[in-house]
Amino acid sequence: MSLRPTIETRRAQPTMEGAGVKLHRAFGFQDPSELDPFLLFDDFRNERPQDYLRGFPWHPHRGIETITYVLAGTVEHGDSLGNTGRLGAGDVQWMTAGSGIMHQEMPQGNAKGQMHGFQLWGNLPSAQKMTAPRYQDVKSKEIPEIIDDDGTRVRVIVGEFWGKTGPVDGIAADPQYLDISLPAGVKKTFRIDTYRRAFAYVFEGAAAFADASKPAGVLLEKEVGGEEVNIRDLSGNRTLIRFGTGDEITVQAGPEGARFLLISGAPINEPVAWHGPIVMNTREELMQAMTELRNGTFIKPAH
């Protein structure tokens, strides 16, 4: 077994999207090869309705898939194919934009006005860029949750883990998408396929991720749950951790526990031509998409 080194730790950056939704972007619109097959990851989390209610009005997508995971509040969605729906707390939506779709996503807060969710963009390989658009909405109760003896909780959203299979399938990036909660001080090792790119995103509490360059078994310099751990190595709220190659990661929760997403996928290794919500392989394909948006032929008839 080989431990994946931590090659970068960085905080998600505040930005604004849609009609004025305030969110934090962990990655996106820089180097698309960095976390291939993933292109973008946004954390939209607000407690003031004025920061999210204007939502994401009608906009196009082509050449990608999106996975939206809601933790608090709801998201109403509709599209150019006539689909409508509502995502509630714990629900997931997978959308394959394929050849092209127009859609909107309008967030609503819970009873306390809170709204929290994530959106991940996965690239489509060239052979599937122009596939027919489709949706899959998954309710929270359909997502398996595993509770280990030490109190570790894992929601398996996509992929296989500890004998359970997530309900979202058929995604080109073939990802594993896990929502992991660790009690205070618990140290855990998770397997990841060697050939996948991987990242973690901490959004509650804090955690230390072991690095291959450091002595095994020592994550903190303070005793937490009987383990010596280095508080300086703790990654807190809204922190992205990128991993190098290997087949496992080791993580230890800080004094207040930790909750993070652990996401991995098989790289596509193809050229990327990207403009806003449209991701193709060549500049010519990108220009064609923009021309079709202008002349009204962007949405393809169903076969």
Side-chain angles (χ1 to χ4, degrees):
M1 309 297 270
S2 60
L3 185 67
R4 283 179 177 248
T6 299
I7 59 175
E8 183 183 17
T9 300
R10 68 176 184 237
R11 296 294 301 275
Q13 296 301 306
T15 187
M16 191 176 293
E17 283 291 352
V21 178
K22 293 182 179 179
L23 51 82
H24 282 74
R25 179 158 294 154
F27 63 88
F29 296 109
Q30 280 95 33
D31 178 3
S33 68
E34 181 180 79
L35 280 164
D36 178 19
F38 306 116
L39 297 163
L40 175 145
F41 181 84
D42 283 343
D43 176 349
F44 49 96
R45 181 185 342 179
N46 292 293
E47 297 189 357
R48 302 193 319 157
Q50 60 265 41
D51 290 340
Y52 60 78
L53 277 181
R54 289 186 292 273
F56 306 91
W58 293 100
H59 59 280
H61 281 294
R62 176 179 285 181
I64 64 170
E65 299 185 282
T66 65
I67 302 172
T68 305
Y69 179 29
V70 177
L71 294 184
T74 60
V75 176
E76 304 269 358
H77 67 88
D79 68 39
S80 52
L81 304 177
N83 298 308
T84 59
R86 167 185 279 198
L87 299 175
D91 295 350
V92 174
Q93 181 199 79
W94 153 47
M95 181 192 75
T96 302
S99 61
I101 200 166
M102 300 287 293
H103 79 151
Q104 65 173 350
E105 299 152 304
M106 305 303 289
Q108 299 284 330
N110 59 17
K112 297 180 179 179
Q114 299 164 325
M115 176 69 222
H116 189 193
F118 305 106
Q119 188 167 93
L120 174 69
W121 289 15
N123 199 5
L124 281 169
S126 57
Q128 297 181 40
K129 288 286 189 191
M130 298 299 287
T131 192
R134 55 180 176 157
Y135 275 95
Q136 185 176 342
D137 283 358
V138 178
K139 294 300 181 184
S140 180
K141 63 184 179 182
E142 300 173 45
I143 298 172
E145 182 174 76
I146 306 162
I147 304 176
D148 207 4
D149 294 341
D150 59 9
T152 298
R153 291 175 175 264
V154 181
R155 299 191 86 211
V156 186
I157 295 166
V158 186
E160 295 183 11
F161 186 76
W162 286 353
K164 300 289 186 180
T165 301
V168 181
D169 60 12
I171 298 181
D174 188 27
Q176 184 184 60
Y177 190 133
L178 308 175
D179 176 355
I180 299 173
S181 299
L182 296 179
V186 167
K187 185 164 73 171
K188 207 79 171 173
T189 295
F190 300 98
R191 294 290 307 278
I192 300 175
D193 187 288
T194 307
Y195 300 101
R196 293 168 176 262
R197 296 264 170 79
F199 70 91
Y201 183 75
V202 180
F203 62 95
E204 286 181 16
F209 291 83
D211 196 303
S213 64
K214 297 176 182 176
V218 179
L219 299 185
L220 300 172
E221 289 172 353
K222 175 183 175 183
E223 191 168 293
V224 178
E227 292 282 348
E228 289 290 325
V229 289
N230 187 348
I231 293 298
R232 293 188 306 248
D233 290 341
L234 282 174
S235 295
N237 183 25
R238 295 195 177 105
T239 301
L240 173 79
I241 299 93
R242 282 203 302 134
F243 301 106
T245 57
D247 52 22
E248 63 183 22
I249 68 158
T250 295
V251 55
Q252 182 172 3
E256 298 177 359
R259 188 174 179 188
F260 62 95
L261 304 179
L262 181 60
I263 299 174
S264 61
I268 294 172
N269 294 320
E270 291 182 351
V272 172
W274 185 358
H275 181 75
I278 298 171
V279 185
M280 303 303 288
N281 293 105
T282 68
R283 177 175 169 78
E284 289 72 25
E285 291 170 339
L286 198 58
M287 297 304 292
Q288 178 67 25
M290 303 307 287
T291 299
E292 292 175 3
L293 268 174
R294 289 193 296 271
N295 66 23
T297 61
F298 183 78
I299 304 300
K300 306 303 178 187
H303 296 296

